[in-house]
Amino acid sequence: MDLEGRTVLVTGATGGIGAALVDALLARGARVLAVARDAGRLTALARRHPAGAVTPFAADITRAGDRHALLQRARSFEPAPSVLVLAHAQAAFGLLQEQGDELLEAVVRSNLVAPMQLVREALPMLGRHDAAAVVAVGSTFGSLAFPGFAAYSASKFGLRGLFEALAREHAGGPVRFQYLSPRATRTPFNSAAVDALNRELGTRVDRPERVAQVLVRAIERGSRRRQLGWPEALFARINALFPALVDRSLVRQLPLIRRHAGGPSHATPESRHEPVPS
């Protein structure tokens, strides 16, 4: 897919990976309809770029009215968006038994239900193009569930299943579905506890600019599935084929994980790219 001259709708556009994605898409010649909840941060994002390159639109996509207004605005573009990138997420690091209903419902609503609803509502617009794409910025934890991230992993597993089903449902049509999974990325999405855990585990952490470049190349190439990073791509494959091996490996890390995840849940009101209600 040549992005030159296309309009791309990006949710969660004001956070670490989201803002870097906007930069990378503009460098490929696309225009961006940038969506986030914080109007001030959106305005600042748009002002970093030439006039007209980024159109800011403040919306909470978990709300039906905001989704309706967003798609009305999207349809007014010429050309209308032919690429939808779902780059928002709700974090929830902590032990499940210590997390309340409100947080759990917010995680599933933001990471799975709202994307499902927005994609359904955007399909008529996308289907009018000869070629279109819906892209989910997923997570390694959508393929390899991790202790301390039970709710988050469950929501990302669901998102991956949604995109796998939609890719098969729309096979042969103009709209393709891509599930692209970064590994740990250095953004405010991570709480201090997550950063500390990553340091102790020796987790490799990418810069958001690097992640954005890889994601945009995957969009251009039409990659249906992509796990970024090594050895994360290998671990995800091993988990699919031999999950008991991963079980045994993670048992050795449990005391460390529990130490960082224990106590009040280390949830942040920020998403990877955008705050959502919690």
Side-chain angles (χ1 to χ4, degrees):
M1 175 180 285
D2 184 358
L3 292 171
E4 179 76 32
R6 290 183 181 270
T7 304
V8 182
L9 193 165
V10 180
T11 70
T14 57
I17 294 176
L21 266 173
V22 171
D23 293 344
L25 288 164
L26 294 176
R28 296 299 203 279
R31 288 195 307 164
V32 175
L33 174 55
V35 183
R37 292 180 67 237
D38 190 317
R41 291 173 67 188
L42 278 170
T43 299
L45 173 68
R47 285 176 176 168
R48 286 186 7 226
H49 299 286
V54 177
T55 300
F57 193 92
D60 177 352
I61 68 161
T62 67
R63 298 176 179 172
D66 283 18
R67 292 195 306 273
H68 177 74
L70 168 61
L71 291 174
Q72 276 194 317
R73 181 69 180 91
R75 287 189 289 267
S76 72
F77 274 74
E78 184 55 49
S82 57
V83 181
L84 168 60
V85 181
L86 301 168
H88 68 281
Q90 166 74 47
F93 177 54
L95 303 178
L96 184 69
Q97 67 266 28
E98 296 170 355
Q99 295 177 330
D101 288 347
E102 188 176 358
L103 173 61
L104 299 181
E105 290 167 4
V107 169
V108 176
R109 183 171 65 247
S110 175
N111 297 357
L112 179 56
V113 176
M116 192 181 303
Q117 292 167 325
L118 182 59
V119 170
R120 180 195 63 197
E121 294 159 6
L123 274 172
M125 174 184 71
L126 296 169
R128 287 194 286 270
H129 294 276
D130 291 336
V134 183
V135 181
V137 179
S139 169
T140 303
F141 294 161
S143 300
L144 196 162
F146 206 82
F149 296 87
Y152 183 76
S153 295
S155 68
K156 289 297 185 178
F157 264 76
L159 185 64
R160 181 167 65 90
L162 171 68
F163 271 65
E164 186 172 286
L166 286 172
R168 293 165 179 169
E169 195 170 299
H170 289 265
V175 185
R176 71 177 184 230
F177 291 83
Q178 301 176 250
Y179 183 86
L180 310 176
S181 306
R183 63 181 178 181
T185 307
R186 190 171 293 109
T187 76
F189 180 68
N190 298 323
S191 66
V194 172
D195 285 336
L197 175 62
N198 283 337
R199 285 193 297 271
E200 290 206 51
L201 290 176
T203 302
R204 297 180 183 181
V205 182
D206 292 327
R207 295 181 299 106
E209 295 80 10
R210 168 63 178 163
V211 172
Q213 291 293 336
V214 176
L215 292 176
V216 169
R217 284 199 297 271
I219 294 170
E220 291 174 328
R221 293 170 181 169
S223 305
R224 301 287 183 176
R225 305 172 183 86
R226 178 77 186 273
Q227 171 60 57
L228 280 61
W230 190 267
E232 287 78 6
L234 174 62
F235 292 160
R237 182 66 60 87
I238 292 172
N239 189 62
L241 297 173
F242 308 106
L245 294 179
V246 180
D247 294 344
R248 290 195 290 272
S249 174
L250 288 176
V251 163
R252 296 193 293 271
Q253 298 175 341
L254 266 180
L256 176 61
I257 295 168
R258 286 171 174 158
R259 174 159 56 83
H260 287 283
S265 64
H266 297 287
T268 169
E270 289 197 25
S271 71
R272 178 180 292 108
H273 311 300
E274 173 56 18
V276 297
S278 62

